[in-house]
Amino acid sequence: MTALVSSDVRVPTPRHYLMCPPRYFAVDYAINPWMDPTQPVDRDLALAQWTRLRDTYRSFGHTVDEIEPQPGLPDMVFAANSGTVVDSQVLGSRFRAPERSAEAEHFRRWFVEHGYRDVIMPSKINEAEGDFAWTGRVLLAGTGFRTDPEAHAEAQEALGVPVVSLRLTDPRYYHLDTALFVLAEATDSAPAQVAYYPEAFSPGSRRVLARLFPDAVRADEADASCLGLNGVSDGHNVVLPGEATALAARLAERGYEPVLVDISELRKAGGGPKCCTLEIRK
């Protein structure tokens, strides 16, 4: 998609992602409002969509590592829920749903085997980048449905960064990454920029977001209802679900380059581009 004329200059930065192929993807249970085990799932289509997403990142010059999927863990494709990495410090995950609990150990082992020796595993329910968004200055931390509020303080101690708590109130947006994502991290010369869906948050959290990010892109119901806020940005290219056309147009007006991808099969489990993408920040 061609960006509209804008005075903003957006510069991409190289990223390092960890992803998991959906080899065993299925919707065998329901742990969020998007999941319906009675509806058929096309695993081959899910794998093809995931592959295009991975290849899109690589076409931008980003590094993408892959973890081996495990039978019996159909949601392991949603790698973002399994770790938060800031300045090479890894904080693992602890899932609320017992169906996903074994994923945490597989990801912990991957990090240890790839040189991250001091992986910290949380004692509180902590669904990682599902509920944590690094802005370059502070860690935005969601709660309300999955991650425990106490996990926010635990993350601050483990990662050594300030944490801002935000409360989600709409069960359709059960993770922070379904209602907010970072478009550009803060630098020495510019504040962070985010996009978010205000109605997913409590009134107090909306006021916090308005104070922290007065120049944010505010999404509407149409943007949110296709998981359009489950996006991934490198500061210039912004990968979004294919249906998020209105949000894409607003981002183009800000000087970003929206890239629309089909993730419809994985959305049957409540996932989008960001759910599939764990960022490793060194």
Side-chain angles (χ1 to χ4, degrees):
M1 177 177 292
T2 303
L4 302 179
V5 176
S6 172
S7 59
D8 294 320
V9 177
R10 305 295 180 190
V11 179
T13 57
R15 303 298 173 110
H16 184 182
Y17 299 134
L18 177 59
M19 300 179 71
C20 181
R23 193 173 305 144
Y24 303 105
F25 179 68
V27 180
D28 293 333
Y29 46 78
I31 58 173
N32 67 57
W34 301 83
M35 303 177 82
D36 182 355
T38 68
Q39 296 300 310
V41 170
D42 187 333
R43 188 175 295 161
D44 290 338
L45 178 57
L47 181 58
Q49 292 177 350
W50 178 92
T51 300
R52 285 194 289 272
L53 176 63
R54 180 202 62 192
D55 292 348
T56 296
Y57 294 144
R58 288 178 173 167
S59 74
F60 298 148
H62 303 322
T63 299
V64 180
D65 289 331
E66 296 180 28
I67 186 173
E68 186 67 20
Q70 300 297 316
L73 296 176
D75 283 340
M76 196 170 167
V77 60
F78 302 127
N81 303 146
S82 296
T84 305
V85 187
V86 179
D87 293 338
S88 296
Q89 178 61 66
V90 182
L91 175 62
S93 63
R94 187 181 181 93
F95 287 92
R96 183 166 297 280
E99 293 90 343
R100 298 196 65 185
S101 61
E103 296 177 35
E105 175 61 15
H106 290 293
F107 279 86
R108 186 197 69 81
R109 289 179 188 169
W110 186 93
F111 278 108
V112 171
E113 290 167 0
H114 287 78
Y116 298 85
R117 299 299 180 187
D118 298 321
V119 178
I120 298 172
M121 299 305 289
S123 64
K124 306 298 183 181
I125 299 297
N126 173 339
E127 299 206 354
E129 286 194 328
D131 275 322
F132 291 148
W134 176 241
T135 69
R137 289 287 183 273
V138 300
L139 188 71
L140 302 179
T143 191
F145 298 101
R146 295 292 185 84
T147 297
D148 285 340
E150 296 85 357
H152 298 178
E154 196 170 46
Q156 181 166 283
E157 287 300 311
L159 298 174
V161 298
V163 174
V164 174
S165 294
L166 301 168
R167 178 165 290 277
L168 298 159
T169 56
D170 187 328
R172 293 173 299 168
Y173 309 110
Y174 58 95
H175 274 150
L176 182 65
D177 72 356
T178 65
L180 176 150
F181 72 107
V182 178
L183 291 163
E185 293 182 6
T187 67
D188 291 340
S189 59
Q193 188 167 70
V194 305
Y196 70 98
Y197 177 49
E199 285 72 17
F201 296 91
S202 68
S205 294
R206 292 181 207 177
R207 294 195 298 271
V208 169
L209 287 168
R211 186 182 295 269
L212 287 176
F213 307 105
D215 195 36
V217 175
R218 290 173 174 80
D220 60 20
E221 171 66 20
D223 297 326
S225 64
C226 66
L227 289 181
L229 279 299
N230 197 246
V232 177
S233 175
D234 64 11
H236 173 73
N237 302 293
V238 184
V239 179
L240 301 171
E243 299 83 357
T245 54
L247 178 59
R250 282 195 285 277
L251 295 177
E253 291 172 355
R254 299 286 190 104
Y256 294 99
E257 186 71 23
V259 179
L260 301 177
V261 297
D262 184 3
I263 207 79
S264 56
E265 203 64 19
L266 292 166
R267 188 165 51 229
K268 292 178 179 179
K274 175 55 192 171
C275 287
C276 296
T277 312
L278 190 163
E279 184 165 355
I280 299 174
R281 302 172 186 87
K282 296 183 178 181

